[in-house]
Amino acid sequence: MKKAMKNRMAILAATFLAASVLANATTPALIPQPQKLELGAGEFHLSPDTKILANLASLGTARQLAARLRPSTGYPLKVHVKFVSDTAADNAILLTTRNASTNLGPEGYELTVATNSVVIRAPTQAGLFYGTQTLRQLLPPEIFSSNRVADVDWRVPCARIEDWPRFKWRGLMLDVSRHFYTKAEVEKILDLMALCKLNRFHWHLTDNQGWRISIKKYPRLTQIGAWRKESSLARPPAAGKSNVHPAWAGPAADKFGPDGRYGGFYTRKDIRDVVAYAAARHIMVVPEIEMPGHSVAALAAYPQFSCSGGPYNTNVRAGVGDGIYDPANPGTFKFLEGVLTEVFRLFPGQYVHIGGDEVRKEYWVQSPDCQALMKREGFTNADQLQSYFVKRIGKFVNAHGRTLIGWSEIIKGGLAPNAVVMDWIGGGREAASEGHDAVMTPTGYCYLNYYQSPDHSTQPFAAGKYTSLRKVYSFEPIPEGLPPQDDPHILGAQANLWTEWIASLPHAEYMLFPRLCALAEVVWSPKDSRDWTDFQRRLVVDERRLDELDVNYYHD
Ligand code: ACM
């Protein structure tokens, strides 16, 4: 390090108050809480002539920041490349990868706010991006308005932050099968995820009630599988009952086709747009193509790949009428490989989720062809047949350079090599202790479709269980009893939003917020920094941000 710079940093450091600031009313309301935060004296004031500077590699992230700050401030902040020097400049926000400590990791950053400058330094663009998200939260909540807000002093408290995530996998799953969410609605959710520093969008694209991804080779999947007679799974508030709630809304008119059927699907262009939108926010999209169960929609279109031959129809209620693929028919694998080949082309990320949950294996037990296959393979139970199915698909997924993820049940009968377990009802600890990676999403903490108030009469109809904000905040992703050397196999955790009873975006937002904020802190912040009282203090400010962002949320 150059001597002048060393001196400058020493002076800067001296202007900051001692470390480990105890949270108080003036501590910035950051969610998730950063790893290290030192408050300084004074403020930086954003003005129309503040410049945004970046080294060449960081120009894109700098332009993104300028675009985010523009609507509410009205300031057309200029972005300039800073080719040589990487030190702070007067009345400027500098974004740079130069001289960033690699100790910050692939998503970490340092943010220094002084009275005349802001510097965000990170080894990667993901880290810089998270630094800009923190900077937005340091500004007054009105910064999140999409319209110009006059008479706000756009001040940022002087502070020094060093930050990186606790977990690599910080996710949200959205079920778009039970109810369909448009591309624009998905993009709003991606923006909110990015604000929470979440980085995995698990897109539950297929299930019994709807197939939502266009596949060129099998057009009937969306011609037949994307539609049902009515939105039978949305439950309207009963007339005269007290659970009439403003969050509840039936599906919007744009969710019905010209023939009056409910549904929708994403074109290949829609998918590419969403993947790019997510990538610009450092979010990997993880597509889920359900198999071998939960496949009524696919089998309504192609019943020849089922055990019974059908017919199937997508107008099924949750949990009934489960369709299951026939593993004794070689055509089934050819079909699924054809689907997955197109999925690999559309989704560049490492992970492909193949479901694997709640397989109604009685259909296999009743099928003479499946029984013959089991006999040939020497299987004594149907779990082994599921394992055979998943291993066969896993081999195909691996041959294309991808990693297979499946729900808890894929562990039964023997886990496929390299497979990742998504633990909703167990299996994560076992998988991790056998050297597999796992993502934790236990129902009691991570299913945000559950009630968030014990008084159901005040809430829109939901799945019967109760998961409070405080309970989500108390979640510990590392399973109890896991030997510490296996901790790195726990990639992280995610929230899941199953949408059987959730037919509109405002309702989805109501279920997600503020519980997703709690989950974000669980997966990002250090375990020992969790403080329920302080989280509630910060949430008061975060709710003002959500108001500006036009997000519908539950307020206790
Ligand atoms: C699940 O909730 N069936 C994964």
Side-chain angles (χ1 to χ4, degrees):
M1 204 187 295
K2 286 203 181 84
K3 202 169 162 207
M5 188 176 153
K6 248 187 185 164
N7 285 342
R8 192 180 161 76
M9 285 182 74
I11 293 163
L12 207 59
T15 65
F16 288 97
L17 302 175
S20 69
V21 173
L22 287 175
N24 62 44
T26 60
T27 310
L30 301 174
I31 295 180
Q33 182 82 297
Q35 299 278 343
K36 294 184 189 171
L37 163 68
E38 294 171 29
L39 278 181
E43 290 163 341
F44 175 84
H45 294 264
L46 195 66
S47 66
D49 33 68
T50 300
K51 287 190 282 297
I52 299 187
L53 308 174
N55 68 327
L56 202 52
S58 309
L59 207 52
T61 307
R63 289 197 177 121
Q64 253 182 314
L65 174 63
R68 293 285 185 290
L69 298 178
R70 179 153 191 178
S72 50
T73 62
Y75 301 162
L77 302 175
K78 295 254 172 36
V79 178
H80 302 273
V81 182
K82 200 154 196 261
F83 283 104
V84 187
S85 157
D86 72 339
T87 50
D90 253 2
N91 196 15
I93 301 170
L94 169 67
L95 274 64
T96 182
T97 50
R98 286 211 201 98
N99 291 315
S101 164
T102 51
N103 292 340
L104 292 165
E107 297 180 295
Y109 65 93
E110 278 173 351
L111 168 58
T112 307
V113 183
T115 50
N116 62 346
S117 68
V118 174
V119 179
I120 307 177
R121 198 181 298 277
T124 67
Q125 294 308 305
L128 280 183
F129 176 77
Y130 291 131
T132 64
Q133 297 296 62
T134 299
L135 177 61
R136 293 169 78 203
Q137 289 195 354
L138 289 171
L139 280 154
E142 291 86 351
I143 197 72
F144 292 97
S145 171
S146 51
N147 301 311
R148 176 137 193 246
V149 192
D151 304 326
V152 176
D153 179 5
W154 300 109
R155 62 191 191 282
V156 185
C158 287
R160 209 164 54 172
I161 291 171
E162 261 181 62
D163 200 13
W164 60 88
R166 181 178 172 206
F167 289 104
K168 285 193 266 214
W169 188 293
R170 306 180 304 278
L172 170 65
M173 185 222 66
L174 180 68
D175 167 13
V176 295
S177 173
R178 275 54 174 269
H179 281 100
F180 180 62
Y181 292 81
T182 62
K183 183 177 90 165
E185 290 172 332
V186 167
E187 289 177 348
K188 183 174 180 193
I189 288 175
L190 289 168
D191 273 325
L192 296 170
M193 283 179 68
L195 202 55
C196 294
K197 300 188 173 80
L198 299 177
N199 68 349
R200 300 281 182 266
F201 176 59
H202 171 178
W203 209 359
H204 186 78
L205 287 163
T206 76
D207 212 303
N208 293 329
Q209 294 85 0
W211 182 283
R212 306 289 177 217
I213 170 174
S214 165
I215 300 291
K216 234 192 285 188
K217 194 167 176 187
Y218 300 106
R220 287 169 62 84
L221 284 170
T222 42
Q223 286 164 0
I224 306 283
W227 303 97
R228 59 180 189 250
K229 228 168 47 195
E230 58 197 350
S231 173
S232 58
L233 300 176
R235 180 159 314 181
K241 289 270 176 73
S242 56
N243 71 344
V244 176
H245 187 282
W248 192 89
D254 65 353
K255 307 284 171 59
F256 292 87
D259 59 1
R261 288 184 307 165
Y262 174 84
F265 64 90
Y266 307 103
T267 64
R268 286 180 287 281
K269 180 179 182 305
D270 289 339
I271 301 260
R272 282 192 207 97
D273 287 351
V274 166
V275 166
Y277 196 92
R281 288 149 185 79
H282 301 277
I283 296 170
M284 183 195 294
V285 183
V286 180
E288 181 179 354
I289 306 295
E290 270 268 14
M291 62 187 82
H294 281 266
S295 298
V296 167
L299 295 172
Y302 296 96
Q304 63 267 41
F305 304 128
S306 71
C307 292
S308 72
Y312 292 90
N313 98 56
T314 50
N315 219 46
V316 291
R317 297 192 68 78
V320 292
D322 208 337
I324 179 168
Y325 288 111
D326 177 8
N329 175 0
T332 300
F333 290 98
K334 203 161 166 262
F335 164 76
L336 289 171
E337 288 172 8
V339 169
L340 287 174
T341 300
E342 293 191 29
V343 167
F344 298 148
R345 277 192 211 121
L346 289 169
F347 296 91
Q350 185 189 341
Y351 299 97
V352 173
H353 201 303
I354 58 88
D357 58 319
E358 300 179 310
V359 179
R360 300 274 295 271
K361 298 181 189 112
E362 63 264 32
Y363 292 93
W364 286 345
V365 172
Q366 290 156 14
S367 153
D369 288 348
C370 289
Q371 290 305 308
L373 170 62
M374 286 178 66
K375 205 160 164 197
R376 255 194 336 268
E377 295 287 336
F379 298 155
T380 52
N381 63 61
D383 285 342
Q384 291 166 304
L385 193 50
Q386 162 141 359
S387 169
Y388 163 90
F389 193 109
V390 175
K391 280 180 180 157
R392 200 164 155 172
I393 292 292
K395 215 182 226 179
F396 185 77
V397 170
N398 291 165
H400 287 78
R402 308 303 179 91
T403 302
L404 176 147
I405 303 197
W407 297 109
S408 294
E409 291 93 324
I410 67 164
I411 204 163
K412 286 191 198 161
L415 195 49
N418 315 312
V420 177
V421 172
M422 187 166 273
D423 177 339
W424 71 291
I425 45 165
R429 180 162 52 82
E430 294 77 356
S433 52
E434 287 168 20
H436 286 260
D437 286 343
V439 176
M440 303 306 294
T441 179
T443 57
Y445 294 93
C446 297
Y447 274 40
L448 302 191
N449 44 301
Y450 288 1
Y451 279 106
Q452 52 198 325
S453 161
D455 181 359
H456 295 185
S457 72
T458 64
Q459 299 299 303
F461 182 81
K465 306 207 179 112
Y466 166 48
T467 298
S468 65
L469 176 66
R470 185 167 193 170
K471 186 164 182 207
V472 177
Y473 194 71
S474 74
F475 175 47
E476 171 46 40
I478 301 289
E480 233 174 274
L482 185 70
Q485 71 271 17
D486 295 327
D487 282 6
H489 284 303
I490 302 299
L491 298 180
Q494 71 177 37
N496 291 339
L497 192 72
W498 299 103
T499 60
E500 280 92 342
W501 320 113
I502 304 170
S504 69
L505 184 64
H507 189 172
E509 291 171 356
Y510 181 83
M511 302 311 280
L512 290 174
F513 291 95
R515 290 184 292 186
L516 194 63
C517 305
L519 197 275
E521 187 143 314
V522 165
V523 288
W524 181 282
S525 307
K527 185 180 173 185
D528 59 11
S529 78
R530 253 187 268 166
D531 177 337
W532 170 242
T533 307
D534 187 55
F535 177 74
Q536 289 173 288
R537 176 190 68 82
R538 287 177 282 129
L539 196 56
V540 173
V541 180
D542 213 55
E543 287 180 351
R544 289 177 57 203
R545 295 182 189 124
L546 294 174
D547 288 334
E548 296 292 352
L549 290 161
D550 195 22
V551 173
N552 189 27
Y553 57 88
Y554 169 69
H555 180 87
D556 196 357

